[in-house]
Amino acid sequence: EREGDEITFQLSDQIGWSSRFPSPMQAAHVRRSLTLRTRTVDALVAERLSDIATPIALVKIDVEGSELRVLTGMPSLLREHTPVIWMEINRPSIAAAGTTPQEIEELLAPFGYRFYLPDYEPGLFGGPRVWYTAYKHLDDVERPEFDIVCVPPRYEGRWEGGTAANVAARTE
């Protein structure tokens, strides 16, 4: 979408399931539709830049199928800030939007992003233990829904050495 396009957004009776592109399971819970005007991330950042700490280091995306559209609306942010991106991939919602995880990967490829799947196990003392598994391709993750951390080259060393206690590389 472009800045100012009109879209129809589907409101669900289930928390976290409202979406522009509900999956078949989510569609059964749609209770109402809204017509909205789109805003791009780049337009929002430009409008509020004086209120935003720069450089922007982290972007969280959880938009139930519209991930590619959000990323497409932030080329300046990607080019000028190259943040870590933590995003949820929901395959049924992405398919309902007519896109694929591979398209997301292709959009981020020119910026050198690498992909890490976060996992954790609850800890009895001191909180959970968190680790990240590296994936070369998003389609290699064998889950219908998952979070993925997209790490640009400038954070690669700090990521593996600091944030992740254990980064296991998947080779395929």
Side-chain angles (χ1 to χ4, degrees):
E1 277 70 40
R2 294 175 309 265
E3 180 73 14
D5 283 353
E6 277 194 3
I7 63 164
T8 302
F9 189 78
Q10 312 296 323
L11 294 177
S12 174
D13 61 6
Q14 298 290 313
I15 293 174
W17 282 15
S18 296
S19 175
R20 179 163 179 217
F21 304 103
S23 69
M25 183 171 62
Q26 293 167 328
H29 294 274
V30 169
R31 296 296 173 247
R32 197 173 119 193
S33 297
L34 297 174
T35 300
L36 305 171
R37 290 208 179 274
T38 60
R39 299 293 316 268
T40 64
V41 173
D42 278 353
L44 291 169
V45 168
E47 182 180 293
R48 303 301 302 231
L49 192 58
S50 62
D51 299 333
I52 297 172
T54 56
I56 296 170
L58 175 69
V59 173
K60 172 68 168 97
I61 301 173
D62 184 350
V63 290
E64 303 302 318
S66 293
E67 293 77 10
L68 185 63
R69 287 167 173 81
V70 169
L71 292 166
T72 301
M74 52 190 261
S76 294
L77 181 81
L78 290 172
R79 189 174 45 257
E80 295 166 18
H81 298 268
T82 322
V84 170
I85 301 169
W86 189 300
M87 119 176 76
E88 180 189 53
I89 301 289
N90 179 319
R91 291 182 194 280
S93 291
I94 288 175
T99 60
T100 65
Q102 183 178 349
E103 289 176 276
I104 293 168
E105 185 180 320
E106 289 169 0
L107 188 140
L108 294 173
F111 302 98
Y113 278 91
R114 294 189 55 185
F115 306 105
Y116 296 88
L117 181 75
D119 265 315
Y120 76 97
E121 60 185 35
L124 191 56
F125 302 103
R129 186 175 80 88
V130 179
W131 68 94
Y132 301 85
T133 303
Y135 280 82
K136 189 169 184 171
H137 301 289
L138 295 177
D139 281 334
D140 291 342
V141 179
E142 297 174 353
R143 298 179 186 178
E145 300 173 12
F146 56 94
D147 281 355
I148 198 76
V149 183
C150 312
V151 180
R154 71 184 178 129
Y155 289 115
E156 198 66 35
R158 286 183 273 177
W159 181 260
E160 291 180 5
T163 307
N166 176 8
V167 178
R170 178 176 174 150
T171 60
E172 289 180 341

